[in-house]
Amino acid sequence: MFLGGLVGYAQNFLVTGKVIDGNNLKPFEYVDITIYDNSGNKIITGGFSDIDGEFNIDIPAGTYLLKASFIGYKSFEKRFATGEEKEIKMGRIVLKEEVKRMEEIQVVGQKSGMSLEIDKKVFNVEQTIVADGASASELLENIPSVEVDTEGNVSLRNNSSVEIWINGKPSGLSGSDRGQILEMLPAETIEKVELITNPSAKYNPEGSVGIINLVLKENRKGGYFGSVSLGGNYREGNPYPGGNLGLNFTYSDPKWDVFLNASARHNLRNNESYNNRTSFSASQDTTYLNQYNTRNNNHTNGFLRAGFTYHIDEKNDFGISGMGMVGANQSSNKILYYQLNQDLDTTQYRIRTTGNEGLMSFYNAAVDYKHIFNKDNEEFSASFNYFGAIRDNKSDYHNWSQIDNKITENKDYQTSKSNDNNFSLQADYYKKFNKDSKLEVGLKAEYKTSNSIDRSFDENMVEDMEQYNPFDYTEQIYAAYASYGNKWDWFGLQVGLRAEETLTSANEVKRDYFQLFPSAYLSFQLPKDNELQLNYTRRINRPRGWIINNHVDRTDPTNISYGNPLIDPEYSNNLEFNYLKTWDMHTLSVGAFYSYTENVIQRVQKLNDNGVMESTWDNINHSQSAGIDITAKNRLFNNYLDLTTTATAYYYQLGENADYNISKTETFSWNARINANVKIISNLSAQVTGYYNSPRLIAQGSMGHRYGMDLGLKASFLEKALNLTFTVRDVLNSRSKSSRETWGENFHEESGNLSSGRSYRLTLSYNFGNMGGKRPNRNSQPNMDASVGMDSMGGDMMTDF
């Protein structure tokens, strides 16, 4: 700090300015500002634009060259000299995307598919060709560090304790229905995906490994703008193809921003699986149970999102938005059971067929308000959010068995209904004392309820009261946070503290606990476009949904599962180091991370005395994980090829647990992914994506490796108003395959899944309206929905410096 004071004393002049994105006339953050000597060969100093696009750099007296640059944009250069004024004002600097012109009318160039920032990675869905006509779940399969298994479960950095947000707000998606809802959400309504692995104290600490934020489209061009799409999808092995329809519309003027998204989708998916179990003990003979399962799914759903923001005046914004999804699912399932003795002779043969019909709806409503006291320096915002979900399922089971030439047959039925509600109220205050320091404080109250009833009946529709299961869960969270940040020349610091009081009730089990969640960020802006960041956060993973619901699922009588209402939350302490280096056409990001987790929640199994496998959830012990992320972004061959390469290596250690015969586990795993966007000609582009995940150990077992490849081709006509996309997903027919091995004190299991594999999709879209328009001039901030989203999240640390 003493040396920084001496430097500040010697540098008597301040260079200031504001960078604007020429595509949308919005403030442009993270633009590299470099000050060279008069010859333009030697770098004197530099910095980055903040969330408002502004920069301020101290320099001594002299003559200089200023250069503003960002990957994929034309650089801005200006020579200047110091004079009598202490502040040298560069004014407004507009950066435009770099393009290549052919024959004076053809434009060749492409917007970057991914941008790297010191606190998050941002993936532009518009440049992801293989996402055209796909679902949000399929889109996430192509995001580095994110994995989606064959059952729709989402994990980040090999950890499923990740929060899914929509527009910078908790979406209310629980583990029990997350996969289904992401399958219903169309990818074409998503503008970008943001990975925030270590959020600050300002944000909900839920999720051990961070947040995946889905930012939905909301084009703010002046006048009106819209698009319609029509697509067909055929998956190998299905009897007929599925399809999708979509509509996006926005309108904007100085007073109003209005948007509408709607879509309908129909999909078919077939799955096959097997599970081979060996049961053994010292007092009994070894026996074998082999199962083969086939499942057919027929799913139809609709999606609707609409809202508006009213700009009351230059200081006040008011917005209302809503979103809803509804889906109908029909499925059939057939399980074959072969019971074998130690001589491998079949002693029992059974067939269980299942028919299922289900309805599911998910909806959200939000009211937002923002007041700006002093432009760019002080503001207050408040929001009310409601999320709800309704599920209604009916299943019928037909059981046929043959034991010692004796045949038995019976039927039973099961119904399941649930209703979830989530209310939250939040208020935030932001104060910027000067260009380098800021304070953020806020309060939040959240109230959740979940009610479900599971009922079982025999073939005469007589209810089995032993399986009657009403489950009621309530959760209240009251939170307050404060965060302060400052910057001294090349060094930045932000510290924060969040306090949360949690009250839960799961039937008769009540809990009340208070926790503190600190966060700290250090940043270092070094010469020659080098940047470092070190941060620490504490996070929580609260068990919810089917993890704590003690209802026994007897869909498969040989494999039953139930939740554990006595399970405790898990807590993690996360440390992360990031390095960012930028060149004109290349970017390198390296991140190292370490996490220590207490009360680790894992799915565990036990084989009971009746030969039935019981699966539940429990707190195992503690775990440690460490790893490194490497991301390289390269724009090659005059911007015709956009190449993104990522590789992640993990070390994981899990403590022992005697109750489930789990010994101390240590494992090393890695994965790699490459995305290549190729501009073939001005109106034709292609995309190739491929990935590999190595095998890894889990509690009571291991999982096999996974790999896959997708291809996409996109052609544009009528000045890009008409677009035709053809994609092939899972080219190698490998993504659908997964294997798992588990073991315990008296059993060993091998299982695998083979879902519908390679698929072909053709999507036609048409854009209409004022496609070249610009947003009307207005001095106040952008639309509330976006500012509550990641426009404000970017201000966690570096973007305000």
Side-chain angles (χ1 to χ4, degrees):
M1 291 176 65
F2 173 73
L3 291 175
L6 291 179
V7 173
Y9 178 79
Q11 296 175 345
N12 298 320
F13 296 90
L14 187 66
V15 182
T16 64
K18 183 169 185 175
V19 187
I20 302 296
D21 188 336
N23 294 326
N24 51 30
L25 300 184
K26 292 174 61 177
F28 204 158
E29 59 178 319
Y30 278 112
V31 174
D32 181 17
I33 310 296
T34 307
I35 306 293
Y36 295 84
D37 64 2
N38 190 41
S39 67
N41 297 322
K42 181 181 179 181
I43 296 177
I44 304 300
T45 184
F48 293 90
S49 58
D50 63 17
I51 193 172
D52 301 314
E54 297 177 351
F55 64 87
N56 56 90
I57 301 172
D58 292 318
I59 60 171
T63 304
Y64 302 97
L65 170 68
L66 179 144
K67 182 178 179 180
S69 59
F70 194 86
I71 293 177
Y73 285 75
K74 290 183 178 180
S75 296
F76 169 88
E77 295 184 4
K78 184 177 181 179
R79 295 186 185 276
F80 67 95
T82 59
E84 294 182 359
E85 296 292 332
K86 295 297 183 182
E87 181 177 355
I88 298 96
K89 298 180 180 179
M90 291 293 165
R92 197 165 104 148
I93 299 173
V94 180
L95 295 188
K96 296 183 179 180
E97 268 194 298
E98 188 169 16
V99 297
K100 294 287 184 182
R101 297 193 178 273
M102 300 175 59
E103 300 178 359
E104 297 183 349
I105 58 171
Q106 290 186 329
V107 179
V108 178
Q110 54 181 328
K111 188 175 180 180
S112 176
M114 185 184 81
S115 62
L116 298 173
E117 300 176 9
I118 201 69
D119 59 344
K120 62 178 177 282
K121 294 183 177 72
V122 182
F123 299 88
N124 180 21
V125 176
E126 182 182 357
Q127 301 304 311
T128 307
I129 295 176
V130 295
D132 284 1
S135 66
S137 181
E138 292 171 317
L139 169 65
L140 290 177
E141 291 178 359
N142 286 281
I143 303 298
S145 302
V146 178
E147 183 178 356
V148 183
D149 65 18
T150 54
E151 297 178 353
N153 300 312
V154 180
S155 60
L156 176 63
R157 290 178 171 175
N158 277 353
N159 192 327
S160 60
S161 178
V162 58
E163 282 288 285
I164 304 293
W165 283 17
I166 296 178
N167 282 342
K169 305 172 185 176
S171 62
L173 302 186
S174 66
S176 57
D177 55 21
R178 177 184 293 173
Q180 298 178 55
I181 294 175
L182 290 176
E183 188 66 29
M184 295 164 63
L185 180 64
E188 59 263 26
T189 64
I190 301 173
E191 179 181 346
K192 56 186 177 181
V193 178
E194 299 176 318
L195 302 185
I196 309 102
T197 53
N198 234 9
S200 72
K202 177 178 179 179
Y203 303 103
N204 190 334
E206 195 76 40
S208 300
V209 291
I211 299 167
I212 300 175
N213 182 50
L214 307 178
V215 181
L216 304 184
K217 288 182 178 178
E218 203 169 316
N219 196 304
R220 297 185 185 86
K221 296 178 180 179
Y224 70 95
F225 174 82
S227 65
V228 292
S229 62
L230 171 66
N233 177 37
Y234 175 71
R235 194 180 298 270
E236 290 184 359
N238 288 343
Y240 57 88
N244 59 279
L245 291 168
L247 168 67
N248 297 297
F249 178 81
T250 64
Y251 170 79
S252 199
D253 63 26
K255 279 291 185 180
W256 293 91
D257 290 321
V258 181
F259 63 89
L260 171 68
N261 311 119
S263 72
R265 299 170 58 84
H266 178 71
N267 283 318
L268 292 91
R269 177 167 294 182
N270 299 327
N271 298 276
E272 296 180 8
S273 63
Y274 69 90
N275 189 77
N276 298 330
R277 180 194 307 158
T278 302
S279 305
F280 48 85
S281 67
S283 59
Q284 297 179 358
D285 293 336
T286 299
T287 59
Y288 304 90
L289 176 63
N290 298 335
Q291 297 175 230
Y292 302 94
N293 186 9
T294 58
R295 185 179 182 88
N296 301 310
N297 292 280
N298 191 327
H299 191 79
T300 303
N301 66 268
F303 169 83
L304 179 65
R305 176 175 175 260
F308 70 86
T309 295
Y310 176 60
H311 307 294
I312 303 171
D313 52 37
E314 293 186 353
K315 292 183 177 294
N316 295 279
D317 285 345
F318 175 77
I320 297 178
S321 61
M323 177 176 64
M325 288 177 278
V326 60
N329 182 71
Q330 290 183 327
S331 65
S332 60
N333 191 39
K334 184 177 183 179
I335 308 177
L336 306 179
Y337 303 87
Y338 297 88
Q339 185 79 43
L340 291 79
N341 59 22
Q342 61 179 352
D343 298 322
L344 301 182
D345 296 324
T346 301
T347 59
Q348 184 179 141
Y349 173 61
R350 289 183 293 157
I351 302 175
R352 182 176 174 89
T353 58
T354 305
N356 179 274
E357 293 183 355
L359 288 173
M360 179 180 181
S361 58
F362 173 82
Y363 38 90
N364 158 245
V367 179
D368 298 296
Y369 170 75
K370 178 187 284 187
H371 175 75
I372 302 173
F373 297 95
N374 185 10
K375 183 184 177 183
D376 301 333
N377 292 327
E378 186 179 10
E379 67 179 43
F380 168 81
S381 62
S383 63
F384 170 79
N385 284 276
Y386 168 72
F387 293 92
I390 298 176
R391 307 169 196 83
D392 189 351
N393 290 285
K394 298 178 181 179
S395 301
D396 59 86
Y397 305 97
H398 184 190
N399 306 290
W400 184 95
S401 64
Q402 180 178 351
I403 305 175
D404 297 329
N405 296 321
K406 181 180 179 181
I407 297 176
T408 60
E409 190 173 2
N410 62 74
K411 293 182 179 180
D412 57 279
Y413 305 88
Q414 189 176 67
T415 64
S416 177
K417 296 183 179 181
S418 64
N419 191 348
D420 295 343
N421 296 281
N422 182 355
F423 304 87
S424 68
L425 183 64
Q426 182 167 346
D428 299 282
Y429 173 77
Y430 170 86
K431 173 67 175 178
K432 200 171 184 179
F433 300 103
N434 53 49
K435 293 182 178 180
D436 294 326
S437 65
K438 67 168 185 176
L439 173 68
E440 294 177 285
V441 295
L443 299 171
K444 183 177 181 180
E446 192 170 8
Y447 180 75
K448 299 180 180 181
T449 65
S450 180
N451 312 105
S452 64
I453 297 180
D454 298 283
R455 307 174 69 182
S456 298
F457 306 85
D458 64 15
E459 56 187 328
N460 298 315
M461 297 307 295
V462 176
E463 185 170 5
D464 183 355
M465 299 307 298
E466 291 185 359
Q467 297 189 45
Y468 176 73
N469 181 67
F471 182 77
D472 298 312
Y473 176 77
T474 62
E475 178 180 286
Q476 303 174 61
I477 301 176
Y478 303 98
Y481 77 88
S483 177
Y484 174 76
N486 208 338
K487 179 179 181 293
W488 299 270
D489 196 18
W490 51 267
F491 172 67
L493 169 69
Q494 177 175 293
V495 292
L497 182 65
R498 186 182 185 93
E500 290 195 348
E501 176 76 15
T502 305
L503 297 88
T504 65
S505 173
N507 282 354
E508 302 301 322
V509 180
K510 299 182 184 296
R511 295 190 178 182
D512 181 355
Y513 51 92
F514 176 81
Q515 292 290 329
L516 296 175
F517 300 94
S519 66
Y521 293 76
L522 304 175
S523 67
F524 309 86
Q525 292 185 359
L526 306 180
K528 298 184 179 181
D529 300 326
N530 290 277
E531 190 166 353
L532 301 176
Q533 187 194 50
L534 180 66
N535 55 59
Y536 162 80
T537 62
R538 183 173 187 259
R539 301 188 63 79
I540 185 174
N541 178 28
R542 296 180 178 92
R544 299 187 180 100
W546 39 269
I547 293 180
I548 59 174
N549 189 339
N550 56 4
H551 169 66
V552 180
D553 184 355
R554 304 180 186 273
T555 303
D556 178 1
T558 65
N559 293 278
I560 64 175
S561 61
Y562 49 88
N564 178 6
L566 299 177
I567 199 168
D568 293 321
E570 64 177 26
Y571 300 94
S572 63
N573 293 276
N574 303 325
L575 188 66
E576 191 166 313
F577 170 82
N578 292 303
Y579 166 75
L580 183 65
K581 167 68 176 176
T582 58
W583 297 268
D584 286 341
M585 301 296 287
H586 310 281
T587 303
L588 175 66
S589 172
V590 180
F593 54 89
Y594 170 80
S595 178
Y596 181 86
T597 304
E598 303 171 282
N599 299 333
V600 175
I601 298 174
Q602 288 271 359
R603 188 168 187 172
V604 291
Q605 294 179 299
K606 275 188 176 181
L607 187 66
N608 65 26
D609 295 337
N610 297 321
V612 176
M613 184 65 69
E614 298 184 15
S615 299
T616 187
W617 296 85
D618 211 339
N619 298 112
I620 300 300
N621 203 314
H622 67 274
S623 71
Q624 299 183 78
S625 62
I628 184 170
D629 281 328
I630 302 175
T631 302
K633 179 75 175 175
N634 306 99
R635 299 177 76 89
L636 307 171
F637 306 113
N638 293 325
N639 205 29
Y640 279 80
L641 174 62
D642 183 333
L643 196 64
T644 302
T645 308
T646 61
T648 306
Y650 309 90
Y651 168 77
Y652 181 75
Q653 181 191 87
L654 178 65
E656 62 182 7
N657 184 286
D659 293 339
Y660 296 97
N661 195 34
I662 299 175
S663 58
K664 181 179 178 180
T665 302
E666 291 183 294
T667 183
F668 174 82
S669 61
W670 63 277
N671 63 53
R673 182 183 296 271
I674 186 168
N675 293 349
N677 292 289
V678 183
K679 179 66 70 172
I680 302 174
I681 55 177
S682 61
N683 65 336
L684 182 64
S685 57
Q687 184 180 73
V688 182
T689 67
Y691 78 95
Y692 176 82
N693 291 344
S694 73
R696 67 178 186 267
L697 295 178
I698 57 175
Q700 291 185 286
S702 64
M703 297 184 67
H705 69 168
R706 298 186 67 201
Y707 62 94
M709 177 184 291
D710 299 329
L711 298 176
L713 194 65
K714 185 173 185 177
S716 301
F717 310 95
L718 304 178
E719 298 182 348
K720 296 188 177 181
L722 184 67
N723 297 281
L724 182 65
T725 304
F726 175 70
T727 60
V728 183
R729 296 184 59 82
D730 199 10
V731 176
L732 305 177
N733 206 23
S734 57
R735 177 179 281 125
S736 57
K737 302 173 184 177
S738 64
S739 60
R740 184 186 184 104
E741 191 174 358
T742 57
W743 53 78
E745 182 179 3
N746 56 352
F747 73 92
H748 182 277
E749 280 191 344
E750 294 182 7
S751 59
N753 287 286
L754 178 62
S755 61
S756 298
R758 188 183 298 114
S759 64
Y760 309 88
R761 177 178 283 117
L762 187 65
T763 304
L764 181 68
S765 63
Y766 178 72
N767 302 323
F768 60 90
N770 184 20
M771 291 180 289
K774 298 179 180 179
R775 178 174 169 79
N777 291 329
R778 185 175 179 272
N779 294 327
S780 61
Q781 294 294 317
N783 177 286
M784 282 293 294
D785 194 61
S787 61
V788 174
M790 298 313 296
D791 286 349
S792 61
M793 291 192 71
D796 279 2
M797 179 58 185
M798 287 302 304
T799 50
D800 277 333
F801 299 144

